């Protein structure tokens, strides 16, 4: 065995022993929140296609028409020849929808954060990030030469303490958080963070991957309290409720202009296929004209949390923390036996001992499916509880 092979095998064995090995499972998604795995049809509660728009006839037709007209690929970086006019149209629509001056589309949400963060913060600057923020915000911070301060989850007082003691030591400060936390489903206190950031001349950036299309009539986490909170940097993805693929940032025009020159994942990576932009535009049309549709995922999540007595859902994402990875895997397998796909989420996606089931509710879920799922989860929970000593 050569050292490369030995290295990979040893790493895999370690992951296996900790119940942390992951593998790819062939899955088809024919639509309506059904997935097909190993020949079995399952109702999926693990898709972020919250509005089913990846399967919507108008969205698919837009993408198909764009492929027929413009081909399958962009051909080059957007700065070379890959900047199809559909991007300008999508960017102006996104900016308007999010109440921003301008927007910039990237290859994916992950790539957006890897490009944005190092372009805005460097040596002599500080980045504050919520401890439960998405991995790509941490990855962006790691690529930057700025110092990093991790604050306790949604703890505005902790942010105030850090900035009060340290803001003066740095030139610029950037604070980053998920708007909707991807593995917990709770919302960031965006208005309070905006206020603290304003007091300490700190730039607030939210990652609204799970807010666009499903909160505040589809406008996202900055709009939950009515008027738009002062969030100068609203980042998100085209890959979830919009049913397409790609990432974006809504920001002041000056920031977007700067990123066009400085965001390495934009400069050195091929532009998105034009059909992705066409699909996202068609999806935005549907979202903007259909507030009732955008309200459905959260309504289904609330029906679920009500039925099994969990704290009321704040977003379409509901976690059920089980602790050990083995427990989460076993619970997921049992739900699969009962016809549901609910993927177990394990460290390092979530903190150590924070393995969980993560339910994502979609507009397409039938009320009966949600009720059946709640029954199954309640039963699973009951069976998992240790037998009381006096009975054991
Ligand atoms: C999914 C997700 C991303 C990544 O977006 P992609 O377009 O899938 O790369 C970024 N941030 C958060 C919070 C996410 O949930």
């Amino acid at each position: 065995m050569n050292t490369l092979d030995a290295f990979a095998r040893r790493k895999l064995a370690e992951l296996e022993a900790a119940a942390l090995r992951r593998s790819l499972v062939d899955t088809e998604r024919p639509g309506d929140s059904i997935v097909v795995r190993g020949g079995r049809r399952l109702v999926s509660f693990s898709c972020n296609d919250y509005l089913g728009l990846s399967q919507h006839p108008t969205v698919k037709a837009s993408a198909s028409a764009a492929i027929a007209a413009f081909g399958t690929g962009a051909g080059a970086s957007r700065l070379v020849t890959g900047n199809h006019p559909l991007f300008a149209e999508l960017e102006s629509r996104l900016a308007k929808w999010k109440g921003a001056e301008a927007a910039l589309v990237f290859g994916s949400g992950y790539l957006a954060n890897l490009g944005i963060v190092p372009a805005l913060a460097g040596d002599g600057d500080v980045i504050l990030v919520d401890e439960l923020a998405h991995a790509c915000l941490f990855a962006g911070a790691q690529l930057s030469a700025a110092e990093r301060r991790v604050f306790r989850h949604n703890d505005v007082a902790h942010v105030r303490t850090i900035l009060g003691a340290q803001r003066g030591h740095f030139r610029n400060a950037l604070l980053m958080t998920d708007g909707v936390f991807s593995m917990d489903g709770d919302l960031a206190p965006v208005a309070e963070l905006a206020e603290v950031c304003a007091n300490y001349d700190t730039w607030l950036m939210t990652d609204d991957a799970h807010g666009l299309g499903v909160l505040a009539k589809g406008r996202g986490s900055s709009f939950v309290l009515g008027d738009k909170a002062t969030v100068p940097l609203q980042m998100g993805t085209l890959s979830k409720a919009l049913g397409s693929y790609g990432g974006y940032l809504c920001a002041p025009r000056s920031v977007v202009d700067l990123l066009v020159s400085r965001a390495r994942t934009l400069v050195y990576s091929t532009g998105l296929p034009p059909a992705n932009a066409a699909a996202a535009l068609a999806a935005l049309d549907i979202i903007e004209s259909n507030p009732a549709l955008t309200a459905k995922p959260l309504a289904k999540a609330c029906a679920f949390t009500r039925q099994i007595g969990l704290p009321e859902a704040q977003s379409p994402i509901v976690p059920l923390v089980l602790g050990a990875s083995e427990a989460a895997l076993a619970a997921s397998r049992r739900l699969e036996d009962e016809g549901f796909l609910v993927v177990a989420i394990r460290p390092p996606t979530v903190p150590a001992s924070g393995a969980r089931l993560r339910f994502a509710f979609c507009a397409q879920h039938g009320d009966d499916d949600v009720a059946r799922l709640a029954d199954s989860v309640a039963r699973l929970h009951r069976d998992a509880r240790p037998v009381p000593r006096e009975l054991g």
Side-chain angles (χ1 to χ4, degrees):
M1 210 173 2
N2 62 34
T3 55
L4 173 60
D5 200 34
F7 162 79
R9 285 168 192 252
R10 189 178 66 246
K11 286 286 190 191
L12 282 170
E14 284 167 21
L15 290 169
E16 191 82 58
L20 294 178
R21 181 167 176 173
R22 303 174 188 217
S23 53
L24 298 168
V25 183
D26 286 354
T27 308
E28 286 172 37
R29 298 196 315 116
D32 280 342
S33 59
I34 298 298
V35 296
V36 181
R37 270 194 172 183
R40 277 188 74 209
R41 288 169 70 84
L42 304 167
V43 183
S44 171
F45 289 88
S46 286
C47 295
N48 302 318
D49 186 12
Y50 294 114
L51 306 174
L53 295 184
S54 76
Q55 300 280 358
H56 193 286
T58 314
V59 177
K60 291 199 282 190
S62 286
S64 296
I67 289 178
F70 311 122
T72 52
S77 158
R78 292 186 59 187
L79 284 161
V80 184
T81 55
N83 196 41
H84 195 277
L86 279 169
F87 292 123
E89 191 183 337
L90 176 59
E91 286 166 350
S92 87
R93 285 283 301 279
L94 283 167
K96 200 160 157 223
W97 186 236
K98 302 292 270 178
E101 265 176 30
L104 188 62
V105 167
F106 291 80
S108 74
Y110 199 106
L111 286 172
N113 283 336
L114 294 195
I116 296 162
V117 183
L120 295 182
D123 195 23
D125 301 327
V126 64
I127 295 173
L128 282 78
V129 56
D130 187 288
E131 62 182 340
L132 297 187
H134 193 266
C136 60
L137 288 171
F138 284 94
Q142 224 160 6
L143 280 179
S144 124
E147 291 217 20
R148 204 159 21 123
R149 300 286 181 269
V150 178
F151 61 90
R152 286 190 296 271
H153 177 51
N154 277 350
D155 189 337
V156 181
H158 193 204
V159 169
R160 203 176 285 117
T161 304
I162 295 172
L163 288 174
Q166 302 183 34
R167 175 66 186 89
H169 305 166
F170 298 99
R171 184 183 44 199
N172 296 318
L174 169 67
L175 186 147
M176 310 194 296
T177 180
D178 289 17
V180 178
F181 285 85
S182 60
M183 296 301 137
D184 296 82
D186 56 341
L187 309 187
V190 177
E192 284 131 285
L193 288 172
E195 196 185 326
V196 180
C197 286
N199 288 341
Y200 288 97
D201 186 19
T202 294
W203 310 331
L204 176 58
M205 171 164 156
T206 53
D207 177 335
D208 211 23
H210 296 279
L212 182 71
V214 293
L215 290 183
K217 299 193 168 79
R219 300 187 80 190
S221 62
S222 305
F223 297 84
V224 168
L225 297 179
D227 284 348
K228 178 176 167 260
T230 315
V231 183
L233 302 163
Q234 300 178 87
M235 174 269 161
T237 178
L238 312 176
S239 323
K240 287 167 184 166
L242 262 51
S244 179
Y245 192 70
Y248 68 86
L249 176 72
C250 291
R253 165 62 57 193
S254 56
V255 171
V256 166
D257 288 349
L258 174 67
L259 291 175
V260 167
S261 289
R262 298 293 294 166
R264 289 193 291 261
T265 53
L266 183 100
V267 176
Y268 298 112
S269 188
T270 301
L272 272 184
N276 291 55
L281 276 164
L284 265 181
D285 281 340
I286 293 167
I287 288 169
E288 291 181 17
S289 61
N290 203 340
L293 175 69
T294 67
K296 281 186 181 178
L298 176 56
K300 311 253 174 206
C302 288
F304 175 78
T305 52
R306 219 175 295 127
Q307 188 176 333
I308 62 174
L310 288 173
E312 175 155 272
Q314 294 177 273
S315 77
I317 300 166
V318 177
L320 183 67
V321 178
L322 297 170
S325 293
E326 292 84 352
L329 288 170
S332 171
R333 274 194 300 270
R334 187 160 144 185
L335 290 178
E336 188 167 332
D337 289 342
E338 300 187 15
F340 303 109
L341 180 70
V342 185
V343 173
I345 309 287
R346 293 169 283 164
T349 306
V350 290
S353 305
R356 66 196 62 188
L357 296 176
R358 171 189 180 274
F359 304 91
F361 292 87
C362 298
Q364 271 59 31
H365 284 134
D367 291 335
D368 50 335
D369 285 330
V370 174
R372 274 196 313 119
L373 174 73
D375 278 341
S376 287
V377 173
R379 227 177 307 123
L380 183 152
H381 218 38
R382 209 160 41 232
D383 295 354
R385 220 169 280 158
V387 181
R389 196 178 295 262
E390 59 271 25
L391 301 177

